[in-house]
Amino acid sequence: MADINVNAALNPVQGGSRPAPDASAQGLRWDIIELLFFAYRDFVGDADHVLETFGFGRAHHRVLYFVSRYPGLKVADLLGVLRITKQSLGRVLKQLLDEGYIVQKEGDADRRQRLLYATAKGETLVRRLVTLQTARIDAALAGFSPAESAAVRRFLRAMIDRDSPDKVLEQLLGLAQGVAQGAGPQEAKE
Amino acid sequence: MADINVNAALNPVQGGSRPAPDASAQGLRWDIIELLFFAYRDFVGDADHVLETFGFGRAHHRVLYFVSRYPGLKVADLLGVLRITKQSLGRVLKQLLDEGYIVQKEGDADRRQRLLYATAKGETLVRRLVTLQTARIDAALAGFSPAESAAVRRFLRAMIDRDSPDKVLEQLLGLAQGVAQGAGPQEAKE
DNA sequence: ACATTTATGTCAGCCATATTGACGTATTTC
DNA sequence: GAAATACGTCAATATGGCTGACATAAATGT
């Protein structure tokens, strides 16, 4: 019933058939923009549902995820990666510490640092979330040739700012692809 | 200086070299998960900067975008697409109406409906944002063969929930790929 | 040794965006 | 005429960002 009107209205203008009023859609990537929006929405949605049952939000997820993935992360690094302020991080981090998902350890060389590590409890939750999201990714990549999967990866990598003020994670993404060993800031300079 | 410690800590554990404490990382897609996070962050970041100068946020962007792309969208449809509540939409939509980016028209068949349309002013802003994001996508896809681009698109499509309660946009995504004409809810059933 | 810088934490308050619940109003439908 | 629908809105609340200010401990520089 409602569907009748829905369908009447729901023909995308720009990428579709109509001549498009003003400038038409010269080479604009409406399709990919939209696909990214929905893909990401559903991708994070997987985790959101689980997190809700823990009384956590996306902020907790991001913090716990990166701490788990990069054990010994400094608070400052985390701030750089997440691009949020100390104060914003403070709240969520405190919760994760209080509830035993993360622990802090004094830095060896620099005792001002509070290096962050996920506890077993934290690792368990992260793994659960990663497993969920992996299932979606696996399903999406089902039937893809190695070349096609590689193309997807290359695309995502190329979508990321190279020249960002991150320092930290941009290097990590250089690593994340397979360089894993060398700790140097080389590579990933396109 | 800080980089020394950074590099010491920043070896990803799961996908990397270490044996990984507990379960190891059996087939988990850490890399793609991370790539998606950063890719999306930077992708929406493009628009965020522009929107800031207009006093708008992401919420405004999403509303304006979909109204522009699917002229005549009903309020209820928009709520379904964005997955937010009427109240949340209300504020943002009111601003966009007040400032002349969007107009409402009574539905022909059903005069209770307020069909939404972007004004020229609204279209201009949307186009600017889409152009920005298109530039990033174009850059990312530079040098991709048609088959590789297609793989990227297929991946993104496959990441989206098929069985979602959206009705609306899931059909649109069926359309968005090229079916554009038929208004039927067929296709895209994997 | 003392001053400065750095790494971190924290207090207080603000803003944007989301939520739920309740209610109002016009319009369509049964 | 009653009920359901499409939409708007009021009020209260939560989350996750933000800025500014200030505190403490440890490292660093002169």
Side-chain angles (χ1 to χ4, degrees), chain A residues 22 25 30 89 96 109 150 163 182 185 188:
Chain A
D22 34 41
W30 299 91
L89 176 60
L96 290 168
D163 54 308

Side-chain angles (χ1 to χ4, degrees), chain A residues 12-169:
Chain A
V13 146
Q14 324 288 355
S17 46
R18 236 182 296 179
D22 34 41
S24 78
Q26 295 312 3
L28 297 179
R29 304 275 194 179
W30 299 91
D31 55 345
I32 295 194
I33 289 172
E34 241 153 286
L35 289 171
L36 271 169
F37 172 79
F38 290 108
Y40 194 77
R41 182 190 67 175
D42 292 343
F43 169 67
V44 297
D46 284 344
D48 285 347
H49 300 317
V50 175
L51 289 161
E52 221 174 324
T53 73
F54 284 77
F56 289 151
R58 278 186 204 175
H60 303 87
H61 185 191
R62 291 195 288 263
V63 170
L64 184 55
Y65 176 89
F66 282 109
V67 169
S68 161
R69 177 117 165 100
Y70 303 101
L73 209 58
K74 292 186 300 179
V75 170
D77 294 335
L78 197 45
L79 292 177
V81 171
L82 301 180
R83 298 226 183 125
I84 59 176
T85 59
K86 201 175 20 165
Q87 295 85 337
S88 298
L89 176 60
R91 267 178 315 192
V92 269
L93 184 54
K94 192 164 189 320
Q95 272 184 272
L96 290 168
L97 288 167
D98 288 349
E99 302 188 28
Y101 290 86
I102 287 179
V103 288
Q104 294 180 317
K105 271 181 40 182
E106 242 181 25
D108 283 339
D110 187 335
R111 288 171 38 224
R112 290 172 304 181
Q113 298 173 351
R114 298 297 136 83
L115 308 184
L116 303 170
Y117 298 87
T119 62
K121 190 178 175 187
E123 292 293 352
T124 301
L125 176 51
V126 168
R127 183 166 299 273
R128 179 166 164 193
L129 297 170
V130 169
T131 301
L132 240 189
Q133 296 186 314
T134 294
R136 180 181 292 269
I137 294 169
D138 282 343
L141 288 178
F144 275 50
S145 70
E148 288 171 326
S149 300
V152 169
R153 241 174 281 257
R154 259 197 298 139
F155 169 73
L156 291 176
R157 281 173 62 86
M159 287 288 286
I160 299 169
D161 283 341
R162 286 277 166 274
D163 54 308
S164 83
D166 254 26
K167 299 176 202 164
V168 180
L169 248 279

Side-chain angles (χ1 to χ4, degrees), chain B residues 65-85:
Chain B
Y65 176 89
F66 282 108
V67 169
S68 161
R69 178 116 166 100
Y70 304 100
L73 208 58
K74 292 187 300 180
V75 170
D77 295 336
L78 198 44
L79 292 177
V81 171
L82 301 180
R83 299 229 180 123
I84 59 176
T85 58

